[in-house]
Amino acid sequence: MLYVPLIIAFVALYVALVFPVYLIGRRRGLKNPWAAFIPFLGVWIVLFESMGRSGWCSLIAFVPNVGAFVLWVWAAVGVPGHHGRSRWWTLALMVPGVNLVGYWWYALTLPRHPAEFAAA
C-alpha cells in the first residue's frame, strides 16, 4: 500500500516532464504528438519530427556512452533554429535543471499554428 503514492508521484513527474514536448508537437502541427508519451524514445521522436527530421533519428539513444548526450545536444541546438526562435533558447534547453523549466517556457510561448512560423 505504500507503493501507491510512489507510483502516483512517478506518473505525475513523467507527465510533467513529457507534456511540454507534447505541446511542441501539437503547436507545430504534427500528426501524432501523443507519441511523446511513449517511454524512453517518445520525446526524441516528437522533437526530431518537429525539426523536420525522421523520428528514426531517436535510435541514436542506443549508441553506448554517447547516444543520449548526442540527442540532448542535437535537440537543444536544432529545435530553436528550426522553429525560427533565437539561438539563446539553446542555452535554456541545454543547461541541466534549467532545461526542465526551459522546455515548459518554450512550449508555452511557441505560436499555436504552424502558419504563424512563416510570418515570424
Side-chain angles (χ1 to χ4, degrees), residues 38-105:
I38 296 172
F40 190 63
L41 291 179
V43 168
W44 303 115
I45 291 170
V46 172
L47 286 176
F48 279 115
E49 288 183 355
S50 77
M51 290 189 300
R53 306 264 187 227
S54 172
W56 289 100
C57 292
S58 64
L59 293 178
I60 293 172
F62 291 115
V63 174
N65 299 326
V66 297
F69 180 74
V70 169
L71 288 179
W72 177 45
V73 171
W74 192 359
V77 171
V79 168
H82 187 74
H83 295 168
R85 308 292 293 269
S86 167
R87 288 292 181 181
W88 284 104
W89 279 105
T90 298
L91 187 62
L93 301 180
M94 198 172 219
V95 176
V98 174
N99 64 356
L100 300 176
V101 175
Y103 272 105
W104 272 98
W105 191 266

Side-chain angles (χ1 to χ4, degrees), residues 20-31 33 46 50 110:
V21 177
Y22 169 77
L23 282 178
I24 290 170
R26 289 254 336 235
R27 291 183 178 207
R28 287 294 294 163
L30 295 182
K31 185 177 179 182
V46 172
S50 77
L110 199 61

